[in-house]
Amino acid sequence: MKITSVDSFILHVPVTGGGIADSTHNISHWGVVGAAIQIEGGLTGYGFTGTHAHLPGDQLITRCIDTCLAPLLLGQDASDITRLWQTIARNPALQWIGRSGITTLAHAAVDVALWDLKAKNAGQPLWKLLGGQVRDKVRAYNTDIGWLNIADEALVAGARAALAQGFTGIKVKVGSTVERDLRRLTAVRHAVGPDITLAIDGNGKWDLATCQRFCAGAQGLDIFWFEEPLWYDDVKGHAQLARSSSIPVALGEQLYTTDAFAEFFAQQAIHWVQPDVTRMAGLTEVLRVCDMASAFRLPVAPHAGDMSQVHVHLSYAHAACAVLEYIPWIQHCFTDPARVVDGYFCLPQLPGAGTTPTVDALSRYRQPVA
Ligand code: 0YR
Ligand code: MG
């Protein structure tokens, strides 16, 4: 499986309803910034990272793929995934300029492309390579109904609509004011009843005192988890919140390394583990975090930077994965779209990692890489 070419691409895909907001981001498009890796014989693997569709920011990632990572890959055996992971992640000169950030996002795209190649070469969906199917069904929870810019009545209507579609879990964004967020969540809980999993996501906006005030007010709402309550890297703060509140703490979408997760585990600052193959250095690194979560008896709920195209394979194959995020922005861009029916993700059937863009998406949404 000798690598003959590595090419980068950028797609900017419109999100639901023209634009969405959480407490820290306002976005109109999702960036699919990726690598196409070809081997002798012509087979091509695809991988991508997820961005907020920023130019020239996305072009820093493709430039890293084209000029820094491609030379390390050309001529190598694509099936040596772990060795190639080491070659990139432990390259002294690359480490010097970024053990997290752009270099990691670029690495994410490349690593997933290698997994896609391996699965395609085997003629199997990725979950088979990851040990096979460990559970009958992967439960989906719907994030797309809960954005912070959705007005109260529309939020309640969206929650009801998700239920009608068969979802048993939803996530609502918080991080505006404690009063507004509690009002909205109370209305949602009232509308959906007690049996629906209701998670919330602060996207790192509040400080500890505000989070604690919120948690005291949310006592009766049966919150499934409080995601990114505090600044992403604040291990001590999350540990304090985890001790002082009965609402479980979820985080991980902004963490780049196994070492970062290890610190949260060690300090008992995390209950739900949310790694993302588009943020960490690919599936190779995320698998380590999932294994570590198993050792700590903690459930994994992968974050949808990939809009669950890859994580659906992981979630069907890894014992630690408990539930998976659903945001339907980019599924139509792939030849094997992640699909949810009656609240559960379908088991992917096609060979590969679910990362092959359609010809149509590659032309319609393409942005210049330089
Ligand atoms: C907007 N999911 C998240 C969106 C989402 C973000 O930045 O991407 O809210 O990634 O936190 O859990
Ligand atoms: Mg989140």
Side-chain angles (χ1 to χ4, degrees):
M1 291 177 66
K2 189 173 166 182
I3 297 173
T4 53
S5 69
V6 178
D7 293 294
S8 65
F9 61 89
I10 299 171
L11 310 179
H12 286 175
V13 186
V15 306
T16 304
I20 62 92
D22 60 33
S23 69
T24 52
H25 314 107
N26 265 290
I27 64 170
S28 63
H29 291 71
W30 194 248
V32 177
V33 180
I37 301 180
Q38 197 170 70
I39 55 171
E40 247 166 21
L43 196 61
T44 304
Y46 295 87
F48 62 90
T49 186
T51 72
H52 287 179
H54 179 267
L55 292 180
D58 290 354
Q59 292 161 338
L60 298 177
I61 301 169
T62 52
R63 191 166 162 79
C64 182
I65 292 170
D66 293 333
T67 63
C68 295
L69 305 192
L72 299 173
L73 295 166
L74 289 169
Q76 302 295 314
D77 185 339
S79 67
D80 290 342
I81 293 180
T82 313
R83 186 175 62 77
L84 292 174
W85 190 93
Q86 290 288 129
T87 300
I88 293 170
R90 298 294 176 259
N91 179 286
L94 283 177
Q95 274 184 54
W96 191 269
I97 59 167
R99 287 187 300 282
S100 62
I102 290 161
T103 49
T104 314
L105 301 178
H107 190 182
V110 162
D111 180 77
V112 171
L114 295 175
W115 280 103
D116 183 47
L117 261 175
K118 191 167 221 168
K120 282 174 175 165
N121 194 57
Q124 294 182 334
L126 177 63
W127 56 264
K128 284 242 188 214
L129 265 64
L130 298 177
Q133 193 178 349
V134 74
R135 56 180 53 83
D136 291 343
K137 293 205 264 183
V138 169
R139 188 162 79 98
Y141 74 87
N142 191 322
T143 294
D144 203 38
I145 60 101
W147 304 111
L148 213 50
N149 59 317
I150 299 176
D152 292 19
E153 309 78 57
L155 176 70
V156 168
R160 281 212 180 92
L163 253 64
Q165 286 165 35
F167 284 97
T168 56
I170 54 176
K171 189 163 82 187
V172 173
K173 295 290 177 175
V174 299
S176 50
T177 66
V178 169
E179 290 68 28
R180 175 177 184 254
D181 291 332
L182 285 175
R183 184 185 78 223
R184 287 157 64 81
L185 289 166
T186 303
V188 169
R189 176 53 89 195
H190 183 73
V192 301
D195 297 334
I196 296 301
T197 300
L198 174 58
I200 59 168
D201 188 352
N203 289 94
K205 181 78 167 186
W206 282 336
D207 60 15
L208 182 59
T210 309
C211 288
Q212 286 173 327
R213 192 157 69 83
F214 172 88
C215 288
Q219 286 287 331
L221 294 172
D222 190 18
I223 301 297
F224 193 58
W225 72 53
F226 190 174
E227 177 171 329
E228 296 199 321
L230 299 159
W231 178 252
Y232 319 122
D233 301 317
D234 182 2
V235 180
K236 193 155 56 66
H238 283 95
Q240 272 179 273
L241 185 64
R243 273 196 300 274
S244 68
S245 161
S246 60
I247 302 177
V249 170
L251 60 88
E253 68 177 79
Q254 295 275 347
L255 301 184
Y256 288 93
T257 62
T258 305
D259 297 282
F261 275 97
E263 198 53 28
F264 280 93
F265 285 114
Q267 301 302 324
Q268 296 180 295
I270 183 172
H271 299 110
W272 280 89
V273 185
Q274 301 182 306
D276 190 325
V277 298
T278 67
R279 168 82 51 191
M280 306 194 78
L283 179 62
T284 303
E285 184 81 317
V286 165
L287 285 168
R288 296 184 187 123
V289 172
C290 290
D291 289 344
M292 190 162 61
S294 300
F296 278 80
R297 302 293 187 276
L298 293 176
V300 174
H303 169 255
D306 67 331
M307 300 301 149
S308 300
Q309 285 295 127
V310 180
H311 292 149
V312 66
H313 292 265
L314 175 70
S315 298
Y316 265 107
H318 202 289
C321 293
V323 63
L324 184 58
E325 186 166 23
Y326 173 76
I327 305 176
W329 295 339
I330 64 170
Q331 275 86 344
H332 66 285
C333 296
F334 297 94
T335 58
D336 195 12
R339 287 201 312 128
V340 170
V341 174
D342 290 335
Y344 291 85
F345 279 92
C346 301
L347 183 69
Q349 301 295 329
L350 296 184
T355 48
T356 305
T358 63
V359 174
D360 181 58
L362 282 171
S363 69
R364 190 186 323 184
Y365 301 123
R366 194 187 280 275
Q367 303 291 319
V369 293

